Structures are given as C-alpha cells and as structure tokens.
Amino acid sequence: MIGQPFGFGFYRIWESESPFINRQELEKIGTAIFERNHDMAKLTNYLKPYTSAMLLSILFLSVQAVSDLNLPNYMSKIVNVGIQQGGIEQSAPEAVSAKGFSFMQIFMTDTQKKAMEDGYKLVSTKGPAAGKEEYMQKYPLLKTEDIYVRSNFDPQLDRIFGESVWTFINTVKTVAGQSGKAPSLSGNTDVTKMDMSGIYALRPVFAHLPAGTIENARAQALKNPEATLLQSGAAFSRSFYRELGVNTEATQTDYILRTGAVMLLIALAGGAATVLVGYFSAKISAGVARDLRRGIFQKVESFSNGEFDKFSTASLITRTTNDVMQVQMLLMMGLRIFCYAPILGIGGTFMALRKSASMSWIIALACVILVGMICVVYSVAMPKFRVMQQFVDRLNLIARENLNGLMVIRAFGTQEFESERFDIANRNLTNNSLFVNRVMAFLMPAMMLLMNMVTLLIVWIGAQQVADSAMQVGDMMAFIQYAMQIIMSFLMISVLFIMVPRAAVSVRRIEEVLRVELSIRDPLQAEDFHEDKIGTVEFRNVSFRYEGAGENALEGISFTALPGRTTAFIGSTGSGKTTLINLIPRVYDATSGEVLVNGVNVKNVRQRALRAQIGYVPQKGYLLSGTVASNLRCGDRNADEDRLKTAAEVAQAIGFINENPEGFDSEIAQAGSNVSGGQKQRLSIARALVKKPPIYIFDDSFSALDFKTDAALRRALKNYTGGSTVLIVAQRVGTIIDADQIIVLEDGKIVGRGTHEELLSTCRTYYEIASSQFSKEELA
C-alpha cells in the first residue's frame, strides 16, 4: 500500500497484478501527483481575489451538470410514457367506466379491492348535475353510463392496477392452454386497442373460474419487475380512456410536446450556464495570469545583478509568458472540469443505477479499463511533460543569442555552428512534443473505441432485458447516455491529470522567481538624507566579493567625492571600476565597509529615494522603444521641450536629432538598434542630464565618441553639471585629464589618487596607462 496521498480523491492504491502498470510505477505516479498538487496549492493566493467569481462558476457548473443529467431522463420519459404508453403517465387510470371497474376487481384480492374502492369515487349519470359538467366534458361516456373517478393518487393504486392487468393476461393464457384456444377478444390482442365491450362480455367466464386459477395467474404476475407491471397497466388504461371517449392520440401528442418543452427549457438553462461558466472561468484565468505576470515583472524589476545571475533572460521571458499561459489554460479548463466532472460522474452513476442496477457492471468494467489507460498514458507521457519547458527555455535562449549577436556570428563565420546548435535544440523540443502528442493521440481513439464497445454491450444486454420485459426501451437509451456521461467525466479528469503536471512545473518555475530572497532590500526604518551633505559620495573601507567567488573583487576602498568636483576612476580591464560604481546605486551591496550618499549609508535609505539622487549612464547605453523624447523623459517625465533640447545640446546629440525631420519625435527601435553606438551613448547621457540629479555617474560612457565630440561634451558637461558631483569611469586618459580627483585601481585596490599631473609622478600604474595613450612629449 502506498502511503502518499493521491490527488483528486485517490488516497491509496493497493498492490495488484494490474496488466497496465506495476507497483513501482504507481508509486512514482503517486509521488508525482502529490508533489504537483503541493505546487498547485501555491496558486490559491492568486485565486483569493476571485472567490466570488469562483463560487458563481461552481453554481453555474452545478446547473449545467444537473441539466445534462436530467435530459436523458426526460428522453426516457418521452420513449416510455409518450410513445410506448401513449402519454398515459399513471398505471391506474384517472377514470374508468363502472363496467371496467367491476371487471378489474375480478383479478384483485379483497385487500386490493378495498384499496381501489377507497381510491376511486363513483360519478353517476343520475346524480346531481352540479360538479359533473367538467367530468362530462372530459369523459363523454358519463352522459350514458356511470364512471369511477380517481380520488387519490397513492402510488400503491398504480401497482395494484398493473398487477391486476398482468393477472388478467396470465388468466387468459391459462384458459387458452386448458381449452386449446383463448377467449375471444374481438380479434385484437393489443391491450392498448382492445374492444372493452367484447372483454366485458367474457366477465361471466372469468367470474366462474376456480379461485386457484386466478391465484396462480397473480403469482405469475408478481414475478414481473415493477416497471413492467406499471407500464402494462398504463397501456391497458389507454383502452379504458378510449372507452370513456377520451382522445388518446391528443393525450399522447400533448404529453410529448409538454415533455419536449421541458427538455428544451432544461437545455437552454444548461446552455446559458455553460456560457456563464465560460465567461467566469475566462475572467478568473485571465485575471490570475495577469496577476502572475505583474508579480513576476515587479519581482524581476527589484532584482539586483546578483539575482539576475541566477536566471537567464530567455528563461525569465519564458516564465513570464509560456509558463503563465500554461497556468492560465489549466485554470480555464480546470475550473470547469474540477467541479463539473465529479458531479457528472457521481450523478450519472446514481441515475444509471436507477434505470438498471443489473447493468451497473458494464459501467464498472468501463471505468476500470479507462483508469488503466489513463495510468499507462500518465506514466509514459509525464516525464516528457516535465522537461518540455526546459526545452522551450533552451530554444528561446539560443534564438535570443543569435538575434542579439548576429553581427558577431557573421563576423566569425559561425553560422553553420549556430544553425546546428539551434537545430539540436529545435529537434529536442520537436521530438519531445511529437512523443507527447502521439501518446495523447492514442487516448482519444481508445476512448471512442471504449465508448462504442460500452454502447454495443449495453444494447446487447439491454435488448435481452427489454425482450424479457425486465426493462423499458427508454430506460435502456437513458442508461447508454448516462454511461457515456460517466466515461466522459473520467476522460475530463484524465485531461486534468495530463494538464496538472505540466502546469505544476510552470507554477514551480514561476515560484522560483517569486520566492527569490532579494539580496538588496529597503530598510524597515529608512533614514533621511543630510541636507548639508547633498551630493557627497563617500566610501569607507569598502570590500566586495561576488557570490561564489573565491576572493574579493574590491578591497579596502576609501575615498570621498564632493559636490562641484569631478572624480574619475581608471585602471586596467577587470580592475573593479564598474563594480565600484555599481555599489553607489546599490546594484550590489558592499560585502563590508560603508558606502555613503548624502551623508547616509545607502543600506539605510529607500532604493527609490537613493536612485532619485543619481543620474546613471551605464557602459552599454540602452534605449527603450519609443521616441527620442520618450527616452529622454525617462529622466524626468515632466521635462518640457526646452529642457530636452538643452540636455541634447550638452550631450552633443542635438545635431543628429535635428537631421531627422521628426526631431525629438523620431522613432527609436527596441534597444536603440536604429541608431549608432555613439548616438546611443549621447542619448543615454542626455537622458541622465534631463534628470538634473545631485550626483552623475558616467560608466565608460564616452568610449564610442570621437576625440572631438568627447572634448566638446566634457566642456559642455562641466558648465551644465555645476555644483553636482560627477563620477567618471574611463579607459582613455584624455577623458579624465581635467578631473579634480583621479583614483587608480588595480586588482580591486586603490593604487593611486590625485590629479593627472600628480599621478604621473607618484603612480606607476597610471603612468603606464597614460604613456600607452600619449607620447612622451605630450606627457611632459
């Protein structure tokens, strides 16, 4: 016995010699379902805002299920009552002639006679006219003969009448067997079309039969199922109604139309419920998907570079789109199936057993075979479903790398290698998808075969029961439909079994992003900046180590950058310049020591407030899709055109902006792919200048500029920044030659500090860098 709980109502699976799946496979399936259900439970937080919509969905699903369960029952009534019984619903007639009442009492016991006399009242032709008009219109025979009208509708009367009819039939058979021929029934043996006057003429014959003959006939009658007794009684009642002058054809038509109208109303109610369920399930699933995407996006926006190192960009995109869509599809389908299928399955079983308990083994057999098929499909397909999203991630990663690095690939002639790499990832995903689809494709034909075989078996067994008068044709037809509903409910649940694991993988991948512990958080009690130190940046013995690294990237860094002054950082590649700069806006947090901005440790202020003090221009100028103006207004959404123009002039970008007829409304493609590297850098600088912060950070932001543009920009920048603190990271000495303070880094440590002239004589590292870029005469 497996101890892990199964999902969807299965709690234990017992060891068996199943031809479909062995115990070890069942254990794997059980464990997988348990883990997936545990993951799916995490979705409940996102479903809470939609509780009302979910309750309404469940309500309408119940209406839909009840409607679907009742339609076969009404269809059965049309066949059994409307067609076979001529629209006569009750076995005991609502009215019968006095002759007919007396005749039927011959075949009743004394107790039954007493019940019939209590259940009917005599309406005489000679009685007072008051109260008879309605009966005379309904039963024209009352004008010439007395009749009995049913005064109560005790179901026992129906059984008594049906039993009496079969006692009469069996008595006729007995007399026929004894005499060699049956008493004359006016040439008609159809109980629904008998000439009652001819039957009444035989009353003396039946009245003088030995008591044992009728008792034996009654004993034979009691061997029939109750349904057969009632149906035969209703059919015989039709002859009594005809005798009373009732239009039985109109009665039949009226019953069929009334029952059909009820079926139509039920179908309309079920259809309306289906539409409403679709609306609410779509609203819930789309809402949850929206919330998940928003949650992922907001979480990713709060990532530091440390968190970004754990996820590839392609993976984050896949999790935000494809994985969320998997969850959305599950909710769309699951909200319907999870409530509808159990109601349909349980209700269908109950209704089918009401129609014929003797054929219930057919449904049980079908369910066992169906569960076996589902287990086989589940055990084969689930491992492939689990890796599907990983293959999608891989394909997206390679596609993204190739699109972003297309020029590099062409430059090095690696198109064939990249094409093969993409082809491998594409084949892996394709083969995996084909395998899953082939397995799933087997399920539907197998289900159709099972449903057809079940229908054939029900018709085969049911036809024998109909022939033996143990079942009615309408009940057999309804039983077939209920069996199909039960099988369909299992099929729908099997679809959930297929969808849940894949969606659970997606939920787990989404949760991996949402539950990431941020390494950089806002403090619970944020401090305010010191007004007397606005623009001051100070490092106090700062060291930093990347996660998983064996040694520090920065060590013992201490310096102060003051407002109105330019502090520059230079050093060889990998010396830690960008790492140092990234500690100021808290892209990373210092491992030890303190980084202070405006006199406050950056860890003690809110990130939004900190970054509002900084105009940051990264190494790689990145532009957003939109226009030139929209990109520049990232610095300040309220900036007017004059401010944009001034910033563009300082950044030496106004020239190429004005060359375009659309000016500041010129379109910028994604990532600024329609502008050159130098133009991209200048627009990035202008964007920071629009912000007008107290601190500017330029991280090697002049590298794509020619010397002339670089010099012009630095001159304009010095006038524009005024009293702001300017921090510049550069590779070219010419860019920082006029800086008030130059800090030289090597292997993460400060090896020199001072002005250009001071460092040439005091710092060997700086001298080597400068001499590699200038001649001796220029350095002299």
Side-chain angles (χ1 to χ4, degrees):
M1 185 178 68
I2 299 172
Q4 297 98 324
F6 256 38
F8 303 104
F10 294 96
Y11 291 95
R12 293 180 178 178
I13 296 181
W14 298 88
E15 291 182 287
S16 63
E17 298 299 326
S18 169
F20 301 108
I21 188 167
N22 59 38
R23 183 181 186 276
Q24 287 73 25
E25 290 172 330
L26 286 173
E27 288 180 348
K28 292 178 182 177
I29 294 172
T31 303
I33 296 174
F34 175 69
E35 291 175 351
R36 298 298 180 268
N37 288 346
H38 179 69
D39 287 333
M40 299 309 294
K42 300 170 184 174
L43 272 178
T44 54
N45 290 333
Y46 290 93
L47 288 171
K48 286 179 181 178
Y50 305 97
T51 302
S52 299
M54 289 180 63
L55 293 176
L56 286 172
S57 295
I58 294 172
L59 174 64
F60 290 123
L61 279 169
S62 302
V63 173
Q64 180 187 351
V66 171
S67 298
D68 291 343
L69 288 170
N70 274 287
L71 287 174
N73 191 45
Y74 279 94
M75 180 271 296
S76 173
K77 288 182 178 180
I78 287 178
V79 174
N80 292 341
V81 179
I83 297 176
Q84 291 185 292
Q85 297 176 195
I88 310 302
E89 298 183 62
Q90 296 169 329
S91 179
E94 293 183 10
V96 61
S97 67
K99 292 179 181 178
F101 191 83
S102 175
F103 178 80
M104 292 306 298
Q105 284 187 319
I106 296 173
F107 306 100
M108 299 179 186
T109 64
D110 292 338
T111 303
Q112 291 174 337
K113 290 176 184 178
K114 179 68 170 57
M116 289 293 287
E117 289 171 357
D118 292 340
Y120 284 82
K121 67 178 181 179
L122 177 65
V123 180
S124 175
T125 57
K126 299 177 182 179
K132 287 200 307 183
E133 292 81 1
E134 181 183 352
Y135 290 132
M136 291 179 71
Q137 290 179 358
K138 196 172 183 181
Y139 309 114
L141 184 65
L142 181 57
K143 297 175 182 179
T144 58
E145 296 183 23
D146 296 343
I147 66 172
Y148 280 86
V149 179
R150 192 167 176 176
S151 57
N152 74 59
F153 292 88
D154 184 355
Q156 189 62 27
L157 293 180
D158 295 319
R159 178 174 176 82
I160 291 172
F161 194 82
E163 185 180 322
S164 301
V165 169
W166 268 97
T167 302
F168 161 68
I169 294 171
N170 291 335
T171 301
V172 171
K173 292 178 180 179
T174 300
V175 172
Q178 292 175 351
S179 62
K181 65 176 184 177
S184 175
L185 298 176
S186 301
N188 195 342
T189 57
D190 185 350
V191 295
T192 65
K193 299 180 180 179
M194 286 183 176
D195 181 6
M196 300 308 295
S197 61
I199 293 178
Y200 297 153
L202 298 173
R203 188 179 190 286
V205 176
F206 292 116
H208 291 88
L209 287 175
T213 301
I214 294 179
E215 289 298 327
N216 290 335
R218 182 178 297 108
Q220 289 296 321
L222 292 174
K223 294 180 180 179
N224 291 313
E226 184 173 357
T228 302
L229 297 177
L230 296 177
Q231 185 179 22
S232 300
F236 200 77
S237 294
R238 196 173 184 186
S239 296
F240 284 123
Y241 284 126
R242 190 177 295 108
E243 180 193 9
L244 293 171
V246 175
N247 187 344
T248 53
E249 284 74 17
T251 301
Q252 182 178 32
T253 302
D254 179 66
Y255 180 84
I256 292 175
L257 291 176
R258 280 190 292 108
T259 308
V262 173
M263 285 186 69
L264 180 60
L265 291 174
I266 292 174
L268 289 174
T274 303
V275 171
L276 290 170
V277 167
Y279 168 76
F280 283 112
S281 60
K283 182 177 180 179
I284 293 168
S285 59
V288 170
R290 177 201 63 205
D291 296 342
L292 283 172
R293 283 191 293 268
R294 181 196 295 132
I296 295 171
F297 184 78
Q298 291 176 346
K299 187 74 173 186
V300 171
E301 276 199 319
S302 65
F303 277 6
S304 67
N305 281 12
E307 280 79 55
F308 275 116
D309 292 341
K310 299 176 183 178
F311 301 97
S312 68
T313 303
S315 178
L316 288 173
I317 292 173
T318 304
R319 292 168 200 247
T320 309
T321 54
N322 190 278
D323 285 324
V324 171
M325 188 166 291
Q326 293 296 327
V327 175
Q328 183 175 353
M329 288 176 59
L330 174 68
L331 289 175
M332 173 76 79
M333 299 285 292
L335 285 173
R336 302 182 189 186
I337 295 174
F338 192 71
C339 298
Y340 178 73
I343 297 174
L344 195 66
I346 297 171
T349 302
F350 175 75
M351 298 293 281
L353 292 176
R354 285 184 59 189
K355 295 299 179 184
S356 176
S358 61
M359 290 199 295
S360 58
W361 64 271
I362 298 176
I363 296 176
L365 176 63
C367 291
V368 170
I369 296 173
L370 180 60
V371 170
M373 286 194 298
I374 292 172
C375 288
V376 170
V377 170
Y378 193 94
S379 61
V380 172
M382 283 312 99
K384 299 294 184 180
F385 269 125
R386 294 189 191 109
V387 298
M388 183 78 76
Q389 297 304 104
Q390 296 175 16
F391 287 138
V392 173
D393 271 357
R394 180 64 180 168
L395 189 68
N396 285 343
L397 175 64
I398 294 174
R400 184 180 178 85
E401 284 181 347
N402 275 265
L403 291 173
N404 289 341
L406 190 59
M407 296 307 296
V408 176
I409 292 169
R410 288 176 178 175
F412 286 91
T414 58
Q415 290 96 325
E416 290 185 7
F417 172 77
E418 292 298 330
S419 178
E420 182 180 353
R421 196 161 70 105
F422 181 85
D423 192 45
I424 292 171
N426 194 24
R427 278 202 309 270
N428 288 339
L429 178 60
T430 301
N431 293 338
N432 193 75
S433 300
L434 283 174
F435 181 87
V436 169
N437 289 334
R438 285 168 184 156
V439 173
M440 298 306 298
F442 156 80
L443 189 60
M444 188 54 67
M447 293 296 302
M448 295 305 298
L449 176 63
L450 177 63
M451 293 170 69
N452 290 330
M453 294 297 293
V454 167
T455 301
L456 183 63
L457 189 58
I458 292 173
V459 171
W460 177 264
I461 303 297
Q464 296 180 18
Q465 295 191 9
V466 170
D468 295 337
S469 298
M471 189 179 193
Q472 294 178 283
V473 175
D475 290 342
M476 183 184 71
M477 295 171 64
F479 191 91
I480 292 173
Q481 292 200 32
Y482 286 129
M484 296 303 102
Q485 288 178 343
I486 294 167
I487 293 173
M488 286 302 298
S489 68
F490 272 89
L491 178 60
M492 287 187 284
I493 292 175
S494 71
V495 171
L496 271 186
F497 270 74
I498 300 302
M499 292 181 66
V500 165
R502 186 173 183 183
V505 171
S506 295
V507 170
R508 180 176 295 177
R509 286 161 51 84
I510 293 169
E511 280 293 311
E512 285 176 358
V513 176
L514 295 178
R515 69 168 178 251
V516 167
E517 289 292 334
L518 299 177
S519 57
I520 297 178
R521 292 176 174 273
D522 285 336
L524 296 177
Q525 296 294 331
E527 295 182 24
D528 295 327
F529 292 117
H530 297 172
E531 293 296 330
D532 59 335
K533 291 189 176 182
I534 294 297
T536 303
V537 176
E538 183 180 359
F539 275 54
R540 294 178 181 175
N541 196 30
V542 171
S543 296
F544 174 77
R545 178 180 297 186
Y546 286 102
E547 185 176 350
E551 57 185 22
N552 290 337
L554 295 174
E555 189 168 344
I557 305 296
S558 297
F559 69 88
T560 301
L562 298 174
R565 305 188 65 177
T566 299
T567 299
F569 302 89
I570 196 168
S572 60
T573 301
S575 59
K577 302 183 298 296
T578 297
T579 300
L580 184 150
I581 286 296
N582 284 338
L583 297 180
I584 300 171
R586 292 193 74 190
V587 176
Y588 295 102
D589 266 345
T591 305
S592 63
E594 290 184 301
V595 178
L596 289 82
V597 171
N598 298 343
V600 181
N601 190 323
V602 293
K603 296 181 180 180
N604 297 333
V605 296
R606 299 194 183 281
Q607 296 174 65
R608 188 179 186 87
L610 170 65
R611 289 161 187 167
Q613 302 293 307
I614 301 170
Y616 180 62
V617 185
Q619 274 184 331
K620 183 179 179 181
Y622 190 90
L623 301 179
L624 305 174
S625 57
T627 64
V628 171
S630 68
N631 270 274
L632 297 189
R633 284 196 173 97
C634 287
D636 185 351
R637 292 294 177 190
N638 300 317
D640 55 25
E641 291 187 9
D642 291 339
R643 191 163 162 191
L644 299 184
K645 186 177 179 180
T646 301
E649 288 174 348
V650 173
Q652 309 302 303
I654 194 67
F656 71 82
I657 292 175
N658 288 336
E659 286 176 2
N660 195 311
E662 297 177 353
F664 284 89
D665 293 325
S666 302
E667 289 293 324
I668 297 294
Q670 181 182 0
S673 58
N674 61 337
V675 294
S676 68
Q679 291 172 340
K680 197 183 299 183
Q681 276 196 342
R682 281 177 277 174
L683 289 175
S684 298
I685 293 169
R687 180 170 57 193
L689 297 176
V690 168
K691 191 174 183 180
K692 285 191 173 180
I695 301 169
Y696 289 95
I697 298 177
F698 300 96
D699 185 4
D700 202 11
S701 307
F702 310 105
S703 58
L705 306 180
D706 59 77
F707 287 102
K708 180 181 178 181
T709 304
D710 186 352
L713 192 153
R714 283 187 285 113
R715 283 195 301 270
L717 191 63
K718 186 162 187 170
N719 295 327
Y720 184 86
T721 55
S724 298
T725 302
V726 179
L727 304 173
I728 300 176
V729 172
Q731 296 285 354
R732 295 195 308 220
V733 173
T735 302
I736 61 172
I737 197 169
D738 296 322
D740 300 295
Q741 178 182 213
I742 300 173
I743 295 175
V744 184
L745 295 174
E746 186 174 4
D747 296 330
K749 300 176 182 178
I750 296 177
V751 295
R753 188 196 319 257
T755 62
H756 171 69
E757 291 76 11
E758 292 171 349
L759 289 172
L760 285 176
S761 58
T762 60
C763 181
R764 181 176 181 80
T765 301
Y766 183 81
Y767 181 81
E768 290 175 353
I769 295 172
S771 61
S772 68
Q773 299 177 20
F774 296 100
S775 64
K776 291 183 178 180
E777 292 76 12
E778 290 173 317
L779 291 176

